[in-house]
Amino acid sequence: MAETAETQQTDDSKHAARAERRAAKLAKQIGAFAKAHGGAEGQLAYIGQTGTRIVLVGEDGGWGDLVAPSYAVAESAAQKSGITMHESFDGEFAAKVRTGPYEWSRMAGIQLGGPSNG
């Protein structure tokens, strides 16, 4: 019985170490995005079993996202990166996003028979 508890404890510590490494890697990517865009803000969006999306909006209006394996990892990465986080993607935060012709043609392609997504 004690052997099972030790095995579980080892598995838990390996899982925690893996999650910490993933959060550190994501924080580094968030930092690189912020540096490239004159700063950044973000929002976390739970996307089910797939994980949690970290939506990033740069000060220049550029945007992107990253996917973390869990909400806890995403939250840790955002905290480590030091960017401002928002509860929801609306209002002044959403208004900062700047889209170009590429995004508009892709959106039109999906809804109006424009260029395909393939």
Side-chain angles (χ1 to χ4, degrees):
M1 192 80 136
E3 195 173 303
T4 304
E6 286 176 22
T7 303
Q8 180 65 39
Q9 208 170 30
T10 301
D11 289 346
D12 288 348
S13 64
K14 285 181 183 178
H15 180 72
R18 189 173 327 131
E20 183 62 28
R21 285 191 305 272
R22 183 66 177 134
K25 182 178 178 182
L26 286 165
K28 193 174 193 177
Q29 292 172 314
I30 293 168
F33 178 90
K35 184 177 180 182
H37 294 276
E41 298 177 45
Q43 189 258 337
L44 303 181
Y46 177 71
I47 54 176
Q49 288 183 333
T50 305
T52 298
R53 175 164 288 145
I54 305 167
V55 180
L56 302 169
V57 178
E59 289 301 314
D60 64 358
W63 58 277
D65 66 349
L66 299 165
V67 176
S70 69
Y71 193 89
V73 170
E75 196 170 40
S76 176
Q79 185 177 28
K80 288 176 187 303
S81 73
I83 66 170
T84 300
M85 296 300 292
H86 297 268
E87 291 293 318
S88 62
F89 193 80
D90 60 3
E92 289 181 33
F93 178 51
K96 289 183 177 186
V97 174
R98 298 290 172 246
T99 55
Y102 173 78
E103 289 85 4
W104 283 104
S105 70
R106 298 284 293 197
M107 289 185 275
I110 292 169
Q111 297 182 11
L112 304 174
S116 69
N117 284 330

